[in-house]
Amino acid sequence: MKLSKRNGAAALGLALSATGFGLAGTASAAQDANSQASATPVVTWQACPQYSDDVLGFLGIQPKDRAAFRAMWARTDCGTGSVPLDYRHPEGQHVTIAFTRLRAKDQAHRQGILFMNPGGPGGSGYLMPEQVALQNSADAQLNDQYDLIGFDPRGIGYSSSHDCSGLQGGPPPQSGQMTKAQVKQAYDQSAKTNTACSSSDPAFLGQLTTANAARDLDQLRRALHERQASYFGVSWGTQLGAVYRSMFPATIHRMWLDSVVSPRAYDLAYRMDDSAQAMEQDFALFAAWLAQRDDVYGLGDTAQAVTARVLALREQGDAHPWQFSDLASPLGGGFIAFLASSQNTGWEQAAAVLKNMTTAVSGQSAPPGVKAAANSNGPLPQPPSGAPQAFNPTAQQAYLCNEDDSPRAFEPLWDEYQRNLRQAPVTGDLSALRPTCAGWTLPVRHFTLRYSSGSLEMSGHRYETLTPYPWVRQMQDTIGGTVFTVDDFRHGSLAQVPVCATHLAAYFETGAADSGSCPGLQPGA
């Protein structure tokens, strides 16, 4: 799942609304947390926001696609609703959920609604129907028979939200391995900001959980008078989908989950350990590729020789970071680990920079390709006026930490960091120190996954590191379903690649199980 590096900079604020799918008639009695409300929710429809070309460009919609976007947006309905902040007290405070509905083009063969979530946690799905439909003709077919429903989960975007100024989603960027004192400093700063954030509005932030987001979806389904709903989710969206299906199995028509999280997603230590190991395993494939091209890159003619050369380069950078005359910050072993962790679509570029780093000299200008690679994770552009919030880092921290039951004390974190550095000697500078929930004051609330026999497709990406491939098999054992394999390194690429998207469209059209595979995103594509 996506662990964004974006920082929350908005002022503190909580926007609550009493309009939307409020409970019609008298308030329902207090209910079990896993049951549906007895009263029928209602929707409040309103004019959709309008976006300038600058905003569409910021959102990644190319000029050639803007007319098509606006045509779809013209037939999109925008709604809001209110759901209980705490489902244990449905008669109490409510929060707003914002959503969109892109109506099915073929009403004669309409199969219902299809919820869509892009991941995060913290990501907005408000415009996901239009963004997905623009990717390729196969994705566009999803809108033939389904009303595509985009939504901002509670805490995000146009839905009720809260922003903690200065919140960091993880440890600071590293140039190399950190000393115990440096890790402790980062830990203490994280604990301080987490304590301040989680204490700023505990009543709201404590209710940002996957289970509550799933309950919100069921409320929305009922408000739209649909007996069942379908669902497509990516990354954290697969966690939401798995929990939604576990809580309301009879209401699920069809569901596809892409880049599937572990059923132990509530344990950040387990998740980050697996991701770190997957990254080191992928470097072994890169090393073999480099060995076959030793005449080009000169890093070794066997995978073992390449690994030794890159490891030595990483250790050199940790011991004596390069300070180039045309770069403000030094580059250390973390930069070598970053190059070594490249996906196969970037191997050629990373290999060329690794080769150039073997002769790099501090005090001189950076070798060719180094500046571009070093600045690839630079600051994000400021959104133009009127742009929707694409990501909420406060919501991400709340969703993660409200469910994380891994150790939060410093010594276990330090031991974990040291263990991952040993287990991932080449790439560990990049992956070993995970985000931590130190100082988060709100109680842990676990979600529950249950096995059921309903229609479910899940796709795992053979070589990706954010949600490693074994997790999709673990999730299958836990909740059921059929596994489809994408043979690429890319997180959540299924719908982006036309040959893969055809399987997605066919599944939602027919419901037929698909245990096949597709190549995914490959070099040169």
Side-chain angles (χ1 to χ4, degrees), residues 128-173:
M128 190 173 174
E130 291 76 18
Q131 291 170 318
V132 168
L134 287 172
Q135 288 183 146
N136 53 66
S137 59
D139 287 337
Q141 291 175 23
L142 295 172
N143 189 219
D144 288 348
Q145 298 180 357
Y146 289 90
D147 294 350
L148 303 185
I149 307 295
F151 64 97
D152 282 341
R154 56 172 60 200
I156 299 162
Y158 292 118
S159 294
S160 295
S161 64
H162 182 81
D163 292 304
C164 294
S165 179
L167 181 69
Q168 300 288 334

Side-chain angles (χ1 to χ4, degrees), residues 177-260:
Q177 294 181 12
M178 301 173 73
T179 66
K180 190 171 185 177
Q182 289 172 324
V183 174
K184 182 63 163 62
Q185 183 180 17
Y187 173 90
D188 289 343
Q189 181 59 44
S190 179
K192 180 180 178 180
T193 56
N194 282 341
T195 298
C197 180
S198 55
S199 302
S200 63
D201 195 338
F204 178 76
L205 293 175
Q207 297 300 325
L208 298 187
T209 67
T210 311
N212 277 342
R215 295 182 181 106
D216 295 344
L217 287 184
D218 192 62
Q219 288 289 90
L220 179 52
R221 173 194 63 81
R222 297 175 65 238
L224 295 173
H225 306 289
E226 299 285 345
R227 186 178 63 85
Q228 290 186 313
S230 293
Y231 181 94
F232 172 55
V234 183
S235 191
W236 178 80
T238 70
Q239 179 175 314
L240 175 56
V243 172
Y244 178 39
R245 182 177 187 266
S246 297
M247 294 177 68
F248 306 104
T251 72
I252 305 301
H253 177 50
R254 291 168 190 158
M255 178 176 288
W256 190 306
L257 308 178
D258 182 39
S259 280
V260 179

Side-chain angles (χ1 to χ4, degrees), residues 5 327 335 338-339 342 369-380:
K5 297 180 181 177
L327 283 176
F335 180 62
F338 167 72
L339 297 170
S342 296
V370 169
K371 288 179 65 176
N375 293 327
S376 62
N377 285 330
L380 295 168

